[in-house]
Amino acid sequence: MSAVTKEQAAATDTTAPVSALPKMKGRKVCVHYGEKQALFDVDIDILDKQVTALIGPSGCGKSTFLRCLNRMNDVVDICRVSGDVTLDDGDIYDSKVDVVHLRARVGMVFQKPNPFPKTIFENIAYGPRIHGLAKDKTTLEETVEKSLRRAGLWEEVKDRLDQPGTGLSGGQQQRLCIARAIAVEPEVILMDEPCSALDPIATATIEDLIHELRENFTIAIVTHSMQQAARVSQKTAFFHLGKLIEYGDTEQIFTNPKQEKTQGYITGRFG
Amino acid sequence: MTVDSGHIVAAYDDEMQQLTRLFSRMGGLAEKQLAEALTAVERRDLDLAGTVKDSDRAIDDLEHEIDALVLRMLALRQPVANDLRYIISTLRTAADIERIGDYAKNIGKRTIAMSSVGTPPMVRGVVRLGRLVQNMLKKVLDAYAQGDIQKAVEVWEADEEVDSLHTSLFRELLTYMMEDPRHITPCTHMLFIAKNLERIGDHATNIAETVHYHVEGVPLAERRPKADASNYAVVTPGEETDK
């Protein structure tokens, strides 16, 4: 078999396991909120340029884990994180790590679109400006256009960049937030239920966008919609009561899960 | 964990149970059809052959019901994991059963056709092949209902015996035809009956493979042992058969 046909075979073989190098690693990650333990010894790899979906019933710890990946839990006073979380093998909880810099490398998109009460342009320009990524006005304008294009929003907003971001529709606002997140050229994007406030069409647009963003970014997404996890991700992790129950290729999780609990949850037997 | 219980949405369980009921009824009918078709051949019972011919409709109707229910479940429930595997396996197996029904019906028709041309030869051999296939069908439907992989694999392996029996019947029937041209009509019908039975055996092995997929989530890996050489069988006048 020639090299080309081998590649073709690999591309069409949907049963081939997903493999890529880990971009981020969690090892024995535990989280306590005060006395209450929310996560128990979670070991997981977030693979480079892949989409990893975190699923599980409410309170299972999936969002808590996601928030460990860019130290968003630091802002919660009673929250205590132990274990190791690394980004490119560097410990992100090291005391020398600049959290602002870390969050520029590991960006986040939230459940509810939360654009700044500023113009569309300023929403995108804010990050590159404070991180000193744009040396002049032209570069900044280029960055704004590039980010909006990557988020699939440019054509819809290019004539009204000076209008407030809050005037956009819900789906457009969420894409604006994604554009804002990617404007600082992060390596990883965390998404915490990014479509839960959107209608099916806006959801489909975001899912399509996630698919395209995977070319350049590593993505971890928390979602309550199992169908969405199945549609957008290559790897799926199932959490239950603070424990990682199963982690595997998305196709395997949804056709042939190894754990009874995973099967019970995804087939709608408990939640 | 069985597929037809425990869903938060109780209507989903009801649909699963309905699917299982329709499928068991369909499987039961196919078994009955095959058994009666063989009895009709064995006893040259034209009434029974007529019944077999007319009863196939019920199996076809059940297949349509299963198709409709599966379509509905896929659209409304978006099943995953073992639920998805069960639903898809049932859809696929229903198609196998429908074909089995058609073959049984065809045996009934040929039994009626042969009645006007004297005693067909090789009835015992063909019926023996039929009983073998009938056992496979019964066993594989049990395996399906119980999710019993061991049984399914036994059926899968038994098809080799069916194939070799079919090949030897094929050669013998050719020899009969060479002996006397008046044998050609009944022998040709017997050939087709044997072929129908061999095909039913193949569908039983399909079902066995489906059971494996449903239970384990992966296809049966190895290639099935095959012994059907009738595709290549040639008998020339004066040659001894190898019985």
Side-chain angles (χ1 to χ4, degrees), chain A residues 227 253-258 260 263-264 266-271, chain B residues 1-3 5-8 12 78 80-83 85 216-217:
Chain A
Q227 298 300 326
I253 297 277
F254 284 94
T255 59
N256 193 12
K258 300 282 173 265
E260 190 99 327
Q263 181 135 286
I266 64 171
T267 57
R269 288 183 168 83
F270 75 88
Chain B
M1 185 165 54
T2 58
V3 288
S5 65
H7 290 99
I8 297 166
Y12 193 178
Q78 285 135 36
V80 291
N82 62 343
D83 290 348
R85 298 204 307 270
E216 295 283 306

Side-chain angles (χ1 to χ4, degrees), chain B residues 66-108:
Chain B
I66 287 175
D67 280 0
L69 180 58
V70 166
L71 195 70
R72 184 190 147 82
M73 291 173 83
L74 292 177
L76 303 188
R77 309 290 176 205
Q78 285 135 36
V80 291
N82 62 343
D83 290 348
L84 178 63
R85 298 204 307 270
Y86 179 72
I87 292 170
I88 291 298
S89 297
T90 306
L91 180 70
R92 199 186 279 168
T93 307
D96 282 314
I97 303 275
E98 190 274 332
R99 291 302 298 155
I100 291 173
D102 288 349
Y103 288 125
K105 175 184 174 183
N106 189 266
I107 294 172

Side-chain angles (χ1 to χ4, degrees), chain B residues 136 140 151-160 204-206 208-209 220-225:
Chain B
M136 280 172 74
V140 86
K151 261 189 192 155
V153 171
E154 283 167 24
V155 170
W156 191 72
E157 287 166 351
D159 195 50
E160 195 175 7
T205 59
N206 281 354
E209 287 171 12
L220 254 172
E222 332 134 57
R223 288 181 70 86
R224 186 158 56 85

